[in-house]
Amino acid sequence: MTVRWFIFGTLSAALCSANLAQEIVAHRGASLDAPENTLAAFELAWRQQSDAIEGDFHLTADGQIVCVHDNDTARVSPQAPVLKISESDLEQLSAIDVGSWKAEEFSYQRIPTLANVLASMPAGKRIFIEIKSGPEILPELEKQLSATTLQADQVVIISFNADVIRQCRARMSMYKANLLVSYKQESDDGLWTPSLASVLETLKKTNATGLGTQGNAKVVDEAFARAIQAAGLELHVWTVNDPQAAKYWKRLGVDSITTDRPLFLRHSMEQ
């Protein structure tokens, strides 16, 4: 499947328009076909005509920033001893094979650093940096972002942690920073939380530039979307792999759609 998508993405590049109203963001890279949060997944995302990539970043024990989703390596390196990211140093983490779990052809893939990922960014493309650590990561993040040649508008910082977003906006106001929100339905009354009012309040308190919402159409309807947009905020949605769902979010006018299958979704939305 991976080889097929590489070929498909390359051959169709000249045929497929990249000018959708919504940005297509590759979730952890083109993670349906390549091991998530690896340089191979990000490279494939560009081949699959993504406008942006999304990656997850943790702070290591020795103060480095690495690209991995979970708090430990168990899921992406099941054949190796489990390492907790925050308690391991870069040398330990860099030695781990994080590709074989997806396919043997990816056995050479290692956990990349933030610097590795930033250096691989093509001109004119964007990166959504999801912070999985707390605010303690921000001094090193600021240092590394200031050392890159990327323009400020190529970088978006995202996090579920409201304090991370608040501090990002306070110390790195040149970058957009979106609060991530997912929803839970309460068993006693069937209401979904957080409410729109609560989301808007948190967005205001953090000075966020936008909302990165879970793709839950039961919560995020037209009224919800219009309220976010009326507040002067961007609206981004994750993680959408179904074409009909993507068309729903397109109708709501979201700014970006995050997906595991960027080329497939782009083609589907253009039909």
Side-chain angles (χ1 to χ4, degrees):
M1 177 184 289
T2 303
V3 174
R4 174 173 61 82
W5 273 105
F6 264 99
I7 295 172
F8 186 33
T10 303
L11 292 179
S12 62
L15 301 176
C16 180
S17 168
N19 296 317
L20 292 177
Q22 287 74 35
E23 278 190 309
I24 299 297
V25 182
H27 182 232
R28 308 178 195 172
S31 55
L32 180 69
D33 302 307
E36 64 179 54
N37 283 318
T38 62
L39 293 180
F42 297 136
E43 170 61 24
L44 182 55
W46 306 130
R47 290 176 179 264
Q48 292 191 10
Q49 302 176 7
S50 300
D51 300 301
I53 55 172
E54 180 269 350
D56 305 288
F57 295 89
H58 287 264
L59 191 66
T60 66
D62 56 342
Q64 301 300 308
I65 300 178
V66 293
C67 188
V68 60
H69 180 272
D70 298 351
N71 292 326
D72 60 42
T73 61
R75 184 171 57 83
V76 294
S77 190
Q79 75 285 359
V82 176
L83 294 178
K84 188 172 181 180
I85 307 301
S86 63
E87 297 176 359
S88 306
D89 62 33
L90 181 59
E91 183 177 4
Q92 291 173 296
L93 294 166
S94 297
I96 297 174
D97 166 9
V98 291
S100 294
W101 70 271
K102 189 73 170 181
E104 187 58 35
E105 66 190 273
F106 294 116
S107 61
Y108 65 95
Q109 289 296 305
R110 299 295 183 263
I111 295 174
T113 63
L114 173 63
N116 295 150
V117 180
L118 295 177
S120 73
M121 290 285 297
K125 299 294 186 177
R126 296 217 294 169
I127 180 170
F128 285 66
I129 298 174
E130 181 173 347
I131 301 302
K132 306 300 285 188
S133 302
E136 68 276 3
I137 198 175
L138 297 183
E140 182 63 23
L141 176 65
E142 184 176 14
K143 175 184 174 181
Q144 293 198 26
L145 288 177
S146 67
T148 73
T149 59
L150 296 181
Q151 299 298 308
D153 62 3
Q154 290 181 266
V155 175
V156 183
I157 300 167
I158 61 177
S159 179
F160 285 95
N161 186 321
D163 200 35
V164 166
I165 297 300
R166 182 185 62 78
Q167 292 193 37
C168 276
R169 293 294 293 149
R171 67 186 299 157
M172 293 180 278
S173 61
M174 71 288 289
Y175 301 117
K176 291 182 177 179
N178 299 335
L179 179 70
L180 298 178
V181 173
S182 61
Y183 309 96
K184 178 182 179 181
Q185 190 172 31
E186 301 299 331
S187 57
D188 54 346
D189 55 15
L191 295 177
W192 290 90
T193 58
S195 65
L196 172 59
S198 176
V199 169
L200 285 168
E201 181 181 4
T202 305
L203 289 168
K204 183 177 180 180
K205 286 181 177 179
T206 58
N207 195 29
T209 54
L211 171 67
T213 181
Q214 178 188 26
N216 187 335
K218 294 180 179 178
V219 178
V220 185
D221 55 13
E222 184 171 358
F224 190 111
R226 298 296 169 259
I228 298 296
Q229 293 157 345
L233 300 166
E234 294 183 359
L235 180 59
H236 303 262
V237 62
W238 51 271
T239 300
V240 181
N241 293 320
D242 177 73
Q244 292 307 310
K247 290 176 181 179
Y248 169 82
W249 298 111
K250 182 178 180 179
R251 287 195 300 273
L252 289 190
V254 298
D255 293 281
S256 78
I257 298 175
T258 295
T259 180
D260 299 322
R261 49 197 319 201
L263 185 59
F264 170 81
L265 207 69
R266 181 180 292 284
H267 278 288
S268 299
M269 291 175 66
E270 290 177 340
Q271 294 174 359

